[in-house]
Amino acid sequence: MEKIAMLGGGSWATALTKILSENGNRVDWWLRAKDDVQHLLRTGHNPRYLSSILFDRQLVFPTTDLSDAVAEADWLVLAVPAAFVQPVLDKLGRDALRHKAGVVSAIKGMIPTRNVLVTDYVQERFRLPAAKLGVIAGPCHAEEVALEKQSYLTIGSPEAGLARGFCELLRCRYVQAHPAQDLDGIEYCAVMKNIIALTGGIAHGLGYGDNFLAVLVSNAVQEIGRFLRAISPQPRDLSASAYLGDLLVTAYSQFSRNRTFGSMIGRGYSVKSAQLEMNMVAEGYYAVKSIHELNRQLKVNMPITTAAYNILYERIAPAVELEILKEKLR
Ligand SMILES: NC(=O)C1=CN([C@@H]2O[C@H](COP(=O)(O)OP(=O)(O)OC[C@H]3O[C@@H](n4cnc5c(N)ncnc54)[C@H](OP(=O)(O)O)[C@@H]3O)[C@@H](O)[C@H]2O)C=CC1
Ligand SMILES: O=C(CO)COP(=O)(O)O
């Protein structure tokens, strides 16, 4: 049995806790809301996300005490949305993670105050070698994990042993897990696919159809490829499921937060009202600002990201921006 500290109380933390605990591991689960912890302790269910899952209370230990959750863990899994994770990490002492087997980020977003990947922030703040870091990636929605639908995850880490070890913790009847060595590329791609799905949602909300979405997604693969070659050049096959699969599920799934959020923007909702109505976090809203700002230096041709940025941060009307974008797609 491994001991895992899970940070985050949303859908993905809930789904990962299900997989890890049902595989016989102990999960010390940090959630920010006291009421949610009390409900979990009392009933074994998370009241607000994937509440059908019943947790084994001999293996899952919910708490609001961050240090307590992390203290004895072999592994740390990060599943707080990127926009809110830095203040959580900053509560931990700089040496708190030194003796962990690994710190694995399940987050698909960037630290907004610094425009850096979550694993880069963790490495710098806790002075960890890259070999202690990993990401959980792949086309996998928490809602389908709750329903035990066949799913695939990729664990990216420069350290093959870490990636293989964490795959072992995740594999079960309905989850296949495979290791990969491209940490940065997988993490950047997971950030960017949210921007693409959000833009696809905007187009959908404006009345564009499947023909347009297919062209948008094809162009997105090229846009992601150009960006990855500029920021983290190394050979990689973007048709692998950790890249293309992740983009496709977010662009097309009924469960996608980013697509749903974009669709509301396309239908005329303000950012605030879309966020309030969703009650979940669309990472693409924050990611588009980070990627746009990073690209000021890189100057990669990124028409889809630029369109999303102009709509969400420059308040250009979605219909006007999509008219401009549609002339740039091939
Ligand atoms: N959902 C999925 O299928 C997948 C998600 N991911 C990634 O996992 C990460 C977590 O997302 P997910 O679990 O989906 O989140 P959800 O959208 O399901 O839930 C939102 C989470 O964000 C927290 N939150 C909201 N506002 C704040 C705030 N102001 N400060 C601190 N926390 C806040 C909520 O806490 P509270 O409940 O206390 O309000 C809740 O835990 C993201 O990076 C996402 O991209 C990756 C793969 C799959
Ligand atoms: O990253 C995710 C699934 O892989 C979750 O984001 P979406 O809900 O927008 O798809």
Side-chain angles (χ1 to χ4, degrees), residues 4-83:
I4 296 143
M6 176 67 63
L7 271 49
S11 323
W12 197 216
T14 307
L16 290 170
T17 298
K18 167 183 165 68
I19 300 168
L20 292 163
S21 62
E22 286 177 1
N23 278 346
N25 300 293
R26 175 187 168 115
V27 182
D28 286 278
W29 186 4
W30 177 82
L31 302 91
R32 69 172 179 150
K34 221 183 219 151
D35 287 354
D36 294 353
V37 167
Q38 274 163 3
H39 190 94
L40 266 160
L41 288 169
R42 213 173 45 248
T43 68
H45 295 276
N46 185 346
R48 286 191 297 135
Y49 303 91
L50 310 181
S51 52
S52 63
I53 298 173
L54 175 63
F55 292 99
D56 180 344
R57 279 169 280 173
Q58 305 300 314
L59 288 171
V60 176
F61 298 89
T63 176
T64 51
D65 187 326
L66 183 64
S67 308
D68 232 33
V70 169
E72 299 295 320
D74 306 309
W75 299 85
L76 188 70
V77 177
L78 308 176
V80 177

Side-chain angles (χ1 to χ4, degrees), residues 153-155 162-171 177-180:
L153 292 168
T154 299
I155 304 304
L162 183 150
R164 279 199 306 271
F166 204 78
C167 283
E168 280 305 312
L169 301 183
L170 291 168
R171 277 188 197 116
H178 300 283

Side-chain angles (χ1 to χ4, degrees), residues 108 138-141 193-194 197 246 249-250 255-259:
K108 295 181 175 175
C140 193
H141 275 126
K193 60 90 191 177
N194 287 333
D246 201 10
V249 81
T250 300
F255 295 122
S256 168
R257 289 146 189 73
N258 289 285
R259 185 188 150 106

